[in-house]
Amino acid sequence: MTKLPLPALARALARHMGRGWTAAPDRDWPNTVWELCLRDGRRIGLQLDTGRLLAEGRLPDAPDDVTPHTSSIDSGSIRMSAAKTPTQLAADITRRLMPTLDAAHAEWHNRVAVMREQEAQRTAAAEQLARVPGLSEPKRGRWLGGTETAYALSWKGPARAKRPDATPSARVWVDADTVGAHVRMELSGLTADQAESVLRALTDPALHPAPSDGRGSARAAAEPHDS
């Protein structure tokens, strides 16, 4: 069994793993867990446990602008006999853990890229609608069943009478997913003429988007009520 304490073992493993690897104590459990790290964000958690060395693949920290869902990404983990030399342990990690960690790292980067593209589409659509006179500035807002990343806008027209249903108003939410930006609207207090204008716009074939190719075609849903 290796007689090296975990800090010394981690440093030895970093040397044997190859160029670019460094060793550092874990940020949360510095006394019992160390990490092997690469600058591109790949990390391996190390922990000694009753004669075994646990090596666990770790993904990069989430960037400031998006938070990818990572619970379904398998970054790998293996257990090895602590009786092996650092050279043998490094070879085991390279052969048994790194292929899984490399694939997980690529998937993580793909999800970050997708989320950034969706955010760009979401923001562009919200800014487009915000240019309509009278609409509020876009603010983050969540509708029932929607996401926290959605933008919310609103509009309220002049009241025709002292009743809530006699004041035309619109609530608008803008979000994006794998088929691109999409809009949800809730309309109330409309006159028949206003409702007709909305419905004619929705049913005009010239305004129908082309079928989605997965690269950002928009779709819209209007939900008139209380007209």
Side-chain angles (χ1 to χ4, degrees), residues 21-96:
W21 286 96
T22 60
D26 182 85
R27 289 168 291 185
D28 297 320
W29 306 96
N31 295 325
T32 57
V33 180
W34 271 59
E35 284 189 329
L36 301 177
C37 311
L38 283 174
R39 287 187 177 182
D40 64 7
R42 283 175 291 176
R43 297 176 295 154
I44 299 172
L46 300 173
Q47 187 173 10
L48 287 170
D49 181 24
T50 60
R52 308 287 289 178
L53 176 66
L54 171 63
E56 180 182 48
R58 296 180 174 182
L59 297 172
D61 293 330
D64 293 335
D65 55 336
V66 295
T67 304
H69 301 292
T70 59
S71 59
S72 61
I73 301 179
D74 178 17
S75 54
S77 64
I78 61 173
R79 290 182 178 271
M80 301 161 287
S81 170
K84 293 184 176 182
T85 66
T87 301
Q88 293 171 323
L89 292 170
D92 274 355
I93 292 172
T94 300
R95 177 175 56 86
R96 296 170 53 198

Side-chain angles (χ1 to χ4, degrees), residues 124-147:
E127 291 175 348
Q128 175 185 347
L129 296 179
R131 291 193 289 270
V132 175
L135 255 70
S136 65
E137 288 295 317
K139 294 183 178 180
R140 297 290 185 181
R142 181 174 184 172
W143 75 72
L144 182 64
T147 68

Side-chain angles (χ1 to χ4, degrees), residues 155-212:
W155 170 82
K156 181 173 289 188
R160 302 192 309 277
K162 293 183 178 180
R163 301 197 319 269
D165 62 354
T167 301
S169 63
R171 293 196 299 169
V172 183
W173 293 270
V174 182
D175 209 344
D177 54 26
T178 55
V179 297
H182 51 90
V183 178
R184 171 176 173 173
M185 294 196 301
E186 291 183 356
L187 309 175
S188 63
L190 303 185
T191 65
D193 288 342
Q194 289 171 327
E196 180 185 6
S197 295
V198 171
L199 293 172
R200 286 190 179 279
L202 289 175
T203 57
D204 185 349
L207 298 178
H208 289 179
S212 172

Side-chain angles (χ1 to χ4, degrees), residues 209-225:
S212 172
D213 59 5
R215 294 179 295 179
S217 298
R219 70 177 187 268
E223 301 179 2
H225 61 87

Side-chain angles (χ1 to χ4, degrees), residues 59 66-74 104-118:
L59 297 172
V66 295
T67 304
H69 301 292
T70 59
S71 59
S72 61
I73 301 179
D74 178 17
H105 189 251
E107 174 60 20
W108 182 90
H109 276 284
N110 178 65
R111 294 188 185 188
V112 168
V114 168
M115 292 189 72
R116 283 175 171 159
E117 174 62 20
Q118 291 175 2

